[in-house]
Amino acid sequence: MLTPDPIERAVDLLRRGGVVALPTETVYGLAANAEDELAVRRVFAIKGRPATHPLIVHIPGVEHLASWARVVPEAAHRLASAFWPGPLTLVLPRTPRATDAVTGGQDTVALRVPNHPMALEVLRRLGGGIAAPSANRFGRVSPTTAEHVARDLSGDVDLVLDGGPCTVGVESTIVDLSTDEPSILRPGGLAAEEVERVLGRKVPVRTESKVRVSGSLASHYAPRAGVVLAEPREALARVQALRSQGLRVGVLGPESLGLPPDVPRFDVPEDPAGAARVLYARLREADEQGHDVLVACLPAASGLGIAVRDRLARAAAPRD
């Protein structure tokens, strides 16, 4: 008999090896009990994700860190105290609790505490970790509503928890603390400046690392339409050049672009946080309208603008 409480149903499914889509503040995740290897492998199969591509383990709180990470440096405690729950993932040396299925065979594990009441309640009741990549096919645009998940994965998941639209809209910032030199391996929903402020030092963004993490492939977050990057002042010229090739072209950018009325524009605010919040939804809207190419206007390279630029660059990268 099914319980009427969707959170309790989700917890029951996770305990029995099920796969549940659940909301976080960043994007919707495709969740399995992180200690159930068969369930974790099912997540990989649903997504079509390479088995060597590690997953992030979501935990109920900072008090669970030591059971997943065998070394927890002072920097990890400082960042967790400042930003958990929140869009920050910490990479640390793993304990045996983090299996090869979750870590991609590496000696590190990626951990975070999500800042969404439904996700936190599921974690609290489960009392363990949840391995949860984004709830979409591998390499495609991440989902920020339950409707996105249903469109992408209908029939493949056991339950979709609807927690409303995601408030951050891009994945978490991944900080590698597995060595004495902290580094950012994926820009995300927490600005690098905030990480540096808490640690009191520069923390570089590394495009190459021995540690593999989620969302680090050159081509990722890709809509069906091609994506062309442009500074705002270049957008109209890019549109005209692409239209001359007979392509159906849309623009991702703010109202201030002042485009002619016959140019379809998908509104992405100028402020980086606003851009991050709606980016994936706008990419999906453009696909639904059947555009061949999207001219994506780049935000300023600061704050969350760095994460937006990163996602757009991966969406625009050549595809295999």
Side-chain angles (χ1 to χ4, degrees), residues 248-306:
R248 187 176 180 191
V249 184
V251 175
L252 295 173
E255 186 176 4
S256 60
L257 290 173
L259 298 173
D262 67 330
V263 177
R265 183 181 63 85
F266 300 89
D267 188 51
V268 176
E270 287 185 84
D271 74 283
R277 191 175 303 116
V278 304
L279 175 64
Y280 292 150
R282 297 296 181 266
L283 288 171
R284 286 171 174 269
E285 288 170 16
D287 265 351
E288 289 167 9
Q289 294 190 20
H291 291 282
D292 300 313
V293 182
L294 301 173
V295 174
C297 295
L298 294 167
S302 62
L304 293 192
I306 295 174

Side-chain angles (χ1 to χ4, degrees), residues 5 10 14 49 142 163 209 241 305:
D5 178 356
L14 291 168
R49 182 185 179 106
S142 301
S209 171

Side-chain angles (χ1 to χ4, degrees), residues 36-55:
D36 185 330
E37 185 169 338
L38 289 179
V40 170
R41 295 196 181 282
R42 186 177 162 205
V43 167
F44 279 92
I46 291 171
K47 282 185 66 72
R49 182 185 179 106
T52 56
H53 209 54
L55 305 180

Side-chain angles (χ1 to χ4, degrees), residues 14 70 77-78 80 91 104 118 123 130 135-136 163 166 175 179 191 195 211 221 227 235 291 311 314:
L14 291 168
R70 69 177 185 272
H77 286 291
R78 289 164 64 183
V91 175
M118 291 186 83
L123 285 162
I130 291 174
N136 57 284
C166 299
V175 179
T179 71
V195 175
V211 178
Y221 314 111
V227 176
H291 291 282
R311 301 309 188 271
R314 295 180 195 279

Side-chain angles (χ1 to χ4, degrees), residues 164-209:
C166 299
T167 56
V168 173
V170 293
E171 292 81 358
S172 60
T173 299
I174 300 179
V175 179
D176 181 14
L177 296 177
S178 64
T179 71
D180 293 334
E181 296 296 324
S183 61
I184 293 173
L185 302 186
R186 181 181 70 184
L190 179 67
E193 295 92 335
E194 289 297 296
V195 175
E196 293 176 339
R197 176 182 61 80
V198 168
L199 295 185
R201 60 182 293 175
K202 292 295 292 182
V203 181
V205 177
R206 300 200 186 281
T207 55
E208 294 185 5
S209 171

Side-chain angles (χ1 to χ4, degrees), residues 26 42 69 131 140 157 161 239 254 258 261-262 270:
T26 57
R42 186 177 162 205
R140 310 306 293 181
V157 296
L161 289 178
V239 169
D262 67 330
E270 287 185 84

Side-chain angles (χ1 to χ4, degrees), residues 28 67 78 87 108 116 129 144 159 206-207 211 243 290 302 310 317:
Y28 273 69
S67 68
R78 289 164 64 183
T108 55
H116 191 287
T144 54
L159 178 68
R206 300 200 186 281
T207 55
V211 178
R243 279 183 163 183
S302 62
D310 173 82

Side-chain angles (χ1 to χ4, degrees), residues 132-147:
S134 57
N136 57 284
R137 305 298 179 191
F138 184 68
R140 310 306 293 181
V141 178
S142 301
T144 54
T145 69
E147 183 182 9

